[in-house]
Amino acid sequence: MTQSGTVARRIEELTGRPVELVRIKTEGDVKTGSLASLGGTGVFVTALREALLDGRCDVAVHSLKDLPTAPHPSLTYVTPEREDPRDALCARDGLTLATLPTGARVGTGSPRRAAQVRAARPDLEVVDIRGNVGTRLDRALGPDADLDAVVLATAGLKRVDRTDVISEYIPVEAMAPAPGQGALAVEVRTADVVPGVSGGAPDRGLADALADLDHPATRLAVLAERSVLARLEAGCAAPVGAYAVLSDGELRLRSVVAAVSGAGRITRTLRASLGAYAVGDRACADPDLDAIARDLGVRMAESLLDAGAGALAPLGTAVSVSTGSHPTAGPPAEGA
């Protein structure tokens, strides 16, 4: 609701129209099993997409890391500027990952975080947890705490103004974030914003607002990251981390595949020049850049597979990767 409200206010500013928030309860909100047991990808997305497709809402706001990499044939999304992608440790007594005592209990609902905590500190006990931010924090910091620490996304804590509970911002070099972590996907019906998709005229005001919301540097970074996930045939519950950043006119991508047990991990770093399309940490919105970012992610995945990623971690079924779209530039590009 917090991230949806932020997007709603921005759309109101850009379109001059009132925006109503519609509450949708997803499978991920209702079921209590582990993320891995629920299947991971899509559990926080399907109900929102159904509401979008049947007209109960006109815009859906997702955490991009929860969005399946396969493109949806009838939907288009853009990516606003990314929030801090790092994971955060929230521990009693201000402890860090390095200073937690042997045997300390650390809670997380993410197989990726669990695998990397085990790899960094095999002497810790990792506990699977679920729930919203407040519920998870209470497990470590509340009056009836049964854990010594929990690991959460920094972006989520910032959005609900709870950075005061963070005892350590874990560097991406120590714990690679999930592909797309910290970024949002603002999704709409393609026919509403792209000319020629349906018999009716597109909503030009909404299309212009989406184009303004889209942040090219974020778009390229998360496209590269999600291309790694797609080529590895892995869902969002797999122990795969990836983080890309645009700097000095090139896209730099670091990725990790870890054994669920923490017994091993593979780390690789690659980069791709964006040429005249990018200066410093800024880029234009151009389909050619999408192709460069996607290719970087595929090359990264191939490098990880060559190093034995398939034997190290559970991977799934091959999918293509969605690029979202540029609402003012014609129909959405097909994933590769």
Side-chain angles (χ1 to χ4, degrees), residues 50-133:
E50 289 174 352
L52 191 56
L53 290 168
D54 67 21
R56 282 178 285 148
C57 64
D58 301 298
V59 179
V61 181
H62 311 280
S63 291
L64 182 58
K65 65 183 177 62
D66 296 330
L67 204 65
T69 55
H72 192 288
S74 302
L75 301 176
T76 288
Y77 71 86
V78 297
T79 51
E81 186 170 6
R82 187 182 214 165
E83 184 52 270
D84 192 328
R86 292 175 294 178
D87 288 306
L89 188 76
C90 305
R92 59 176 179 80
D93 303 325
L95 294 168
T96 66
L97 190 58
T99 60
L100 282 168
T102 297
R105 289 162 49 85
V106 179
T108 175
S110 161
R112 170 192 58 83
R113 291 177 182 138
Q116 293 187 85
V117 168
R118 291 187 182 109
R121 289 288 309 274
D123 57 315
L124 301 179
E125 179 185 353
V126 178
V127 180
D128 185 72
I129 62 172
R130 291 291 308 282
N132 60 27
V133 170

Side-chain angles (χ1 to χ4, degrees), residues 235-314:
C236 69
V240 176
Y243 177 57
V245 62
L246 179 59
S247 180
D248 296 330
E250 66 179 14
L251 197 58
R252 302 173 185 174
L253 173 63
R254 183 179 185 275
S255 189
V256 173
V257 175
V260 174
S261 66
R265 59 180 172 181
I266 301 167
T267 302
R268 292 288 185 274
T269 301
L270 293 175
R271 59 189 66 197
S273 173
L274 302 181
Y277 295 103
V279 176
D281 61 352
R282 300 179 64 84
C284 62
D286 191 289
D288 288 342
L289 294 187
D290 285 0
I292 293 172
R294 189 187 301 111
D295 176 70
L296 177 62
V298 171
R299 288 195 290 115
M300 171 62 78
E302 296 287 357
S303 175
L304 292 166
L305 289 170
D306 288 345
L312 188 66

Side-chain angles (χ1 to χ4, degrees), residues 187-219:
E187 193 167 47
V188 298
R189 295 178 290 269
T190 304
D192 287 351
V193 295
V194 177
V197 173
S198 68
D203 185 333
R204 179 50 54 191
L206 180 58
D208 289 345
L210 288 184
D212 192 88
L213 281 171
D214 200 41
H215 186 253
T218 295
R219 174 189 179 84

